[in-house]
Amino acid sequence: MIRSDQIRKLLSKAAGIAVLLAGALLAASLCFAAPGNPSQLPSIFDTRSTPTKWIGHLSYFVLSITGLIFVVVFSLLVYAVVKFRKRPGDDGREPAQVYGSNQIELAWTVIPILIVVVLFLATARVIHSIQDAPKPGNAVEVVAIGHQFWWEFRYPQLGVVTANELHIPVSEAAHPTPTFLTLLSADTDHSFWIPQLAGKTDLIPNRVNHTWMDPYQTGIFLGQCAQYCGTQHAKMLLRVYVDSPQEFATWIHAQQQPAVLDENVNAGKRVFETTACINCHAIGGTVADGRFGPDLTHLMSRQTIASGAAENTKANLRLWIQKPDAIKPGSLMPAMQLKNADLDALVDYLETLR
Amino acid sequence: MSAVTSPIAERSLDWKLPYKGKVGMASLIIAESAIFTIFVVAYLFYLGKSITGPTPREVLETPIFFSICLLSSSLTIHLASKELENGHRKTFLILWSITIALGALFLFGTAMEWHRLIYEHGLTISTNLFGTTYYSLVGLHATHVTLGLVMLSIVLLFGLADRVGTDQSARIATLSMYWHFVDAVWVVVFTVVYLIGR
Amino acid sequence: MSSDAIAIPSAGTEARTWVEVVHEWVTTVDHKRLGILYMVYALIFLVIGGIEATIIRIQLMRPHNDFVSPQVFNRMFTMHGTTMIFFVVIPVVFGFANYLVPLMIGARDMAFPRLNAFSFWLTAFGGFLLYFSFLGGNGLYGAGNAPDVGWWAYAPLTSRAFSPGHSSDYWTIALLVSGFGSIGTAVNIIATVLSMRCPGMTLGRMPLFAWLNMFMAGLVILAISPLTAAQVMLCVDRYLGGHFFDTQAGGSATLWMHFFWIFGHPEVYVLVIPAFAFASEIIPVFSRKPIFGYPVMVGATACIVFLSLSVWAHHMFTIGMNSYANSFFAITTFAVGVPTGIKIFNWLGTMWGGKIQFKVPMLFCIGFLFQFLIAGLTGIMQGAAPFDWQLTGSYFVVAHFHYVIVGGILFALFGAFYYWYPKIAGRMLNETLGILHFCLFLIGFHLTFDVMHFPGILGMPRRIYTYEPRPGWGILNLIITIGAFIQGLAILVFVTNLIYSYFKGRKAGNDPWDAWTLEWSVSSPPPAYNFASIPVVESRRPLWDLKHPEDPDSRYE
């Protein structure tokens, strides 16, 4: 007859395992996004570029080994707990007092060491492949600068400065065109993480870091800052648009142009140029040349504002300027205290900056 | 209820364990060494990385005399400790006082050097990386010297009140360990700051 | 010879005023009293840290929730981490070490009783100072608010420029002060173990508990010191205009990271080695066998201590170190898994061939074994640096370390409470409530921390006060939050048990578990002087020798 506390123990163990399995199944189903819809779920196992593919392969290998270790040791544990439990009606004598065994100790020292060697070799290979990958001549070069709480992207060879939404070309196997990023920071530590495209790399002030990616398919890939950088770390979101070569060329060309000059919104342009906006923001071809905040030259070419915190709609733009705390409390955008008429004119102006 | 003293209570064992004071002091010294190591690492890491301001070569003068003072004090404290063990309390007190005087002289030398650096060369802790790391490292050491001098002075007062005898020699030896540690740290700091760093 | 051979002056016949009682406790230098003070202190902060965790979990239970503001959330996760590590696990571990080490080695007290008391009050003061930061407020005396820089306080977020006010200073100085207390206790433990053992108790005959606490203490003096140094440097930066971590002046943010993790990694071994110590005492007793491979257990722990000093930058795989550095830290991280695994196998070997009794301490230790195995394996996964480039900074690593600290350390700690409470309080903890506590906590723990691995895999970073409605993130976070509440319920059951059993628990007697180490030879609770006369031992299990004179351990060692 099994005692009630043993039943309870085994039941709760079973409960734990059931939860584990359910969670595993749930997550397995979520880990692999539907093909053709790469956006929305940034799973690390939905690998869409070479670095993440290599990382994926390494992780399957590591998971297999650790999984095997788990199965073996767990089985032994369950076996021990069941087989060597004190039975009711036990005679009360102590079992054989075994102090140890040198052979067994040797065995379970040597085997783990061998496993460690194997793991290390596999790991070191992938570390070198990714970190020491040579940069091909046709790589797209981007400089990413982390700010509290937005991303600045510069394409030095192409003369483009933009913010928050990164456009890079797809990299076909036939002629790869990877994107190599140089990572800098203007203030605190940040981390660039697009799970489907590359492992994280930090942006640290007074330090130059590098990462690269060569996405196989077009689409929109999501990520966000992965190193706590202050109050609005949570909404320092990332969007990477992987464009076809033509789309990329078109986008670059558009970004290289100075700001659209629309006579109808001169009132708003004057508001922009005569208030504090120009201290932080730049608009190409105008007097505004501030670097503290995002470049607004082609603001309307972006789908989101405030580094992904809100959709780029007229209402949101107006709200952002009037009361940033409503969208991203603690961000460094000040409430501009504009009169309604000025605010409307300003928003009309900004809406022309395609 | 079972009494535990084992069935072999009667057998007298030759049971000698290390003196707890020495063990404690050794552990403390290890902890302090770790702290100093971090400051030394920071100092070495930042050599040559200051963006502005005076460099070590421009402003540092090797404090040979005062270093000799401090290192000699290790000798005098060692001798003092030995004298106390042998019961020569007067000699112990004299040597102990000399140790304190040498340590105080070292601190005076540090003070003079800092005065020169601040007022003649304009090097402060906030000037540049060299200033920050230099004053922190040398200052940390000087703080330990000061603490040591305080403890040594307390012992001197007890000694003058005739309360320190041969039975206290284990404690005096323990305190001497601390003083030797402070000197050993100075050897490292001196090497890093005045030899390697310049 | 009976223990009433010495007449104990009856200290309790006259009613004492509460003032006298408080005075006695505040001025005590008795290791048992200080041990209890540490434990109670830790339990109070466990509840406070748990409340902070609950606030975090409520805020995260659905996307775009607004239960608390981002500022409050950031203070919550900072205080939760800082509290749990510095004011829960460290004090409770010191509490058990203080209470048990002298008893287990046949000593009357720790080596330096007054230093012991001083160290406790330093640690206690540190905790109060940290929490005073809440009262500081942004307006009151301009003192500041609770720190919100994360428990690692990365530079330059902690510089004056990015952390105005005094909130970061509360973090720095509270931990600086309690760090001195920790070093004091560690010095005390080492001196006690090396210099105060009873006759016959060579180092090779010491309970593993004493060995492991000595190793823990050694790690404390090596590891806390770098943190102390870094915190002094941070104070120099913040108050004296220094530039240690001032990137504008050429300073290095990564230098703080190196210094912090040189502390931070050994620190987690400081937390877990006492859990190993608990398991090493409890599992043998409830398997009715001696620990399997005592010398190997000592050697493996020594290896762990040594290796743990070489792995720190596996917390920094993403900062852009070159491939050789990353490879180095990957292999050292894998390597430290070997002695750790050996220990798990030895505990298994202890249970093998035994007669396992599923009393509550053993239930918790079996849970510890299972969960620590998993936690170790997820650690190995992250040792593979490229894999870590995806997993670090996400909820996967949060799940991993909570698996170690809650699933491993806290479970072993609960086991320790159930095992030694009879010795400390003289009464048994209620077995039914204990099983209820175990079941509830097991279910809540797994619901929260098994599931928590998945948001990380799905791209959810850590330290975010809210998140976008990505597929799966919401439901997973909701389940995690539910598990948190169940764990809270379990803690309530536990605290009830502690209090109820103090008054109504079954009287324990000297040796309720039929155990073998010296603390079970004295009354429960022990007299103030511990032992009527200092014991003399001949083996690792002196009480086994007494109970089995026909077959003592001394014959085999």
Side-chain angles (χ1 to χ4, degrees), chain A residues 9 20 27 42 44 84 86 90 93-94 97 99 105 131-132 189 193 195 200 202 206-207 209 228 232, chain C residues 148 155 251 288 293 318-321 323 326 346 355-356 363 389-390 392 450 454 457-458 465 541 553:
Chain A
K9 195 202 76 65
L20 239 171
I44 67 174
F84 301 112
K86 180 172 170 186
D90 173 80
R93 280 201 325 210
E94 307 283 30
Q97 302 290 292
Y99 297 92
E105 300 282 5
Q131 285 197 271
D132 302 333
D189 305 321
W193 192 30
K200 301 177 193 67
D202 292 355
N206 200 23
R207 186 186 181 93
N209 279 341
Y228 179 65
Q232 273 298 345
Chain C
D148 62 352
R288 306 312 304 165
T318 58
I319 69 151
M321 294 187 298
S323 49
N326 282 333
N346 275 285
K355 286 192 182 176
I356 303 171
L363 291 180
W389 294 335
Q390 293 281 37
T392 198
D450 290 1
F454 297 108
I457 291 173
L458 299 180
Y465 75 95
R541 298 189 294 169
D553 263 6

Side-chain angles (χ1 to χ4, degrees), chain C residues 49-218:
Chain C
I51 292 173
E52 286 156 353
T54 309
I55 293 174
I56 292 172
R57 286 317 320 170
I58 295 176
Q59 168 63 15
L60 290 177
M61 76 185 186
R62 61 196 171 106
H64 293 158
N65 203 5
D66 57 1
F67 179 63
V68 291
S69 70
Q71 290 87 344
V72 169
F73 183 90
N74 296 338
R75 286 177 205 134
M76 285 299 109
F77 76 71
T78 303
M79 293 295 275
H80 168 76
T82 309
T83 301
M84 290 303 201
I85 294 197
F86 292 97
F87 301 112
V88 176
V89 183
I90 287 194
V92 84
V93 141
F94 283 162
F96 275 95
N98 251 313
Y99 198 100
L100 293 171
V101 168
L103 283 168
M104 283 188 178
I105 64 173
R108 291 241 158 81
D109 205 316
M110 298 283 280
F112 308 114
R114 282 171 297 185
L115 176 65
N116 207 5
F118 181 58
S119 302
F120 169 74
W121 290 108
L122 277 179
T123 302
F125 177 69
F128 294 134
L129 185 62
L130 181 68
Y131 274 82
F132 183 77
S133 63
F134 278 118
L135 292 181
N138 282 320
L140 188 64
Y141 312 123
N145 209 320
D148 62 352
V149 289
W151 83 274
W152 323 322
Y154 268 6
L157 190 58
T158 48
S159 66
R160 283 311 261 291
F162 299 110
S163 282
H166 294 299
S167 54
S168 296
D169 300 317
Y170 279 107
W171 180 89
T172 311
I173 297 177
L175 295 187
L176 199 61
V177 168
S178 77
F180 288 131
S182 302
I183 293 178
T185 304
V187 166
N188 221 339
I189 293 174
I190 296 173
T192 305
V193 166
L194 290 181
S195 302
M196 312 268 293
R197 282 165 287 127
C198 62
M201 188 176 283
T202 58
L203 286 173
R205 288 187 191 153
M206 223 170 38
L208 277 181
F209 188 90
W211 266 113
L212 265 54
N213 275 285
M214 183 179 71
F215 282 135
M216 176 269 286

